Amino acid sequence: MIKIDKAKNAKFYNTYKPCDCMDCRNFCMQIRSACKELSAYFDKNSIDIEKPWELVSFEQGDKTEYKSCQYLIFGDCSDDFEMGLDNIKLKKELDGHPSTSEYEKPNFVLEFSIALINNISK
């Protein structure tokens, strides 16, 4: 079960500034075209796929493995929520890291993993 507050998401993502490091810029530059179904789902729910809340990444040769791509979502979500889009598994993050306590409740974090080619030179 998932219930998303589109108005609160729109307000958050309209002002939120994501990290500007090289790995994050690489992710933001490619994610919309790499995950068209997920992008459409996020757009429908006023979540900016090009503004991840948290990324955990590891370079692997000419690719970067984004082990945890997290998005702060306003609304409610059951702990067992999973959805498959673009051959990736979107699920509720249960560890609570980083904390969402400073944001208006209710909220939760959705996450997925993906590998992308390194398009930004170092």
Side-chain angles (χ1 to χ4, degrees), residues 1 3-5 12 25 28 38 50 59-60 64 97 103 117:
M1 182 288 300
K3 183 179 176 187
I4 296 176
D5 188 326
F12 175 76
R25 286 194 323 265
C28 294
L38 182 60
E50 294 175 6
E59 288 191 37
Q60 301 286 332
T64 298
H97 178 77
Y103 299 98
I117 294 170

Coordinates of all heavy atoms in Angstrom, one line a residue, residues 1 3-5 12 25 28 38 50 59-60 64 97 103 117:
M1 N 0.8 -1.2 0.0 CA 0.0 0.0 0.0 C 0.9 1.2 0.0 O 1.9 1.3 0.7 CB -0.9 -0.1 1.3 CG -1.9 1.1 1.5 SD -1.4 2.7 1.9 CE -0.6 2.6 3.5
K3 N 0.4 5.6 -0.4 CA -0.4 6.8 -0.5 C 0.5 8.0 -0.6 O 1.3 8.3 0.4 CB -1.4 6.9 0.6 CG -2.3 8.1 0.5 CD -3.3 8.2 1.7 CE -4.2 9.4 1.6 NZ -5.0 9.6 2.7
I4 N 0.5 8.7 -1.7 CA 1.5 9.8 -1.9 C 0.8 11.2 -1.9 O -0.3 11.3 -2.5 CB 2.3 9.6 -3.2 CG1 3.1 8.3 -3.1 CG2 3.1 10.8 -3.5 CD1 3.8 7.9 -4.4
D5 N 1.3 12.1 -1.1 CA 0.8 13.5 -1.1 C 1.5 14.3 -2.2 O 2.6 14.8 -1.9 CB 1.1 14.1 0.3 CG 0.4 15.4 0.5 OD1 0.3 16.2 -0.5 OD2 -0.1 15.7 1.6
F12 N 8.2 20.4 -1.9 CA 9.6 20.0 -1.5 C 10.5 20.0 -2.7 O 11.6 20.6 -2.6 CB 9.5 18.6 -0.8 CG 10.9 18.1 -0.5 CD1 11.6 18.5 0.6 CD2 11.5 17.1 -1.3 CE1 12.9 18.0 0.9 CE2 12.8 16.6 -1.0 CZ 13.5 17.1 0.1
R25 N 26.0 14.3 -10.1 CA 25.7 15.0 -11.4 C 25.6 13.9 -12.5 O 24.7 14.0 -13.4 CB 26.8 16.0 -11.8 CG 26.7 17.3 -11.0 CD 27.6 18.4 -11.5 NE 28.8 18.0 -12.1 CZ 30.0 18.1 -11.5 NH1 30.1 18.4 -10.2 NH2 31.1 17.7 -12.1
C28 N 22.1 12.3 -12.1 CA 21.1 13.2 -12.5 C 21.0 13.4 -14.0 O 19.9 13.6 -14.6 CB 21.2 14.6 -11.8 SG 21.0 14.4 -10.0
L38 N 10.0 4.6 -14.5 CA 10.1 5.1 -13.2 C 10.0 6.7 -13.2 O 9.3 7.2 -12.4 CB 11.4 4.7 -12.6 CG 11.7 5.2 -11.2 CD1 10.7 4.7 -10.2 CD2 13.1 4.8 -10.7
E50 N 15.4 13.7 -11.0 CA 16.7 14.3 -11.1 C 17.2 15.0 -9.8 O 18.2 15.7 -9.8 CB 16.7 15.3 -12.3 CG 16.5 14.6 -13.6 CD 16.4 15.6 -14.8 OE1 16.6 16.8 -14.6 OE2 16.0 15.1 -15.9
E59 N 32.3 3.4 -7.7 CA 32.8 3.3 -9.1 C 33.3 1.9 -9.4 O 33.9 1.3 -8.6 CB 33.9 4.4 -9.4 CG 33.4 5.8 -9.4 CD 34.4 6.8 -9.9 OE1 35.2 6.4 -10.8 OE2 34.4 7.9 -9.3
Q60 N 32.9 1.5 -10.6 CA 33.3 0.1 -11.1 C 33.8 0.2 -12.5 O 33.0 0.0 -13.4 CB 32.0 -0.8 -11.0 CG 31.4 -1.0 -9.7 CD 32.3 -1.9 -8.8 OE1 33.0 -2.7 -9.2 NE2 32.2 -1.6 -7.5
T64 N 29.3 3.5 -12.7 CA 29.1 3.8 -11.3 C 27.9 3.0 -10.8 O 26.8 3.1 -11.4 CB 28.9 5.3 -11.0 OG1 30.1 6.0 -11.4 CG2 28.6 5.6 -9.5
H97 N 18.0 5.7 7.5 CA 19.2 6.5 7.3 C 19.2 7.1 5.9 O 19.1 6.4 5.0 CB 20.5 5.7 7.5 CG 21.7 6.5 7.3 ND1 22.2 7.4 8.2 CD2 22.6 6.6 6.3 CE1 23.3 8.0 7.8 NE2 23.5 7.6 6.6
Y103 N 11.6 16.7 8.6 CA 10.6 17.0 7.6 C 9.2 16.7 8.1 O 8.9 15.9 9.0 CB 10.8 16.2 6.3 CG 12.2 16.5 5.7 CD1 13.3 15.7 6.0 CD2 12.4 17.7 5.0 CE1 14.5 16.0 5.4 CE2 13.6 18.0 4.4 CZ 14.7 17.2 4.7 OH 15.9 17.5 4.2
I117 N 26.7 4.4 -16.8 CA 28.0 4.7 -17.3 C 28.5 6.0 -16.8 O 27.7 6.9 -16.6 CB 27.9 4.7 -18.9 CG1 27.5 3.3 -19.4 CG2 29.2 5.2 -19.5 CD1 27.2 3.3 -20.9

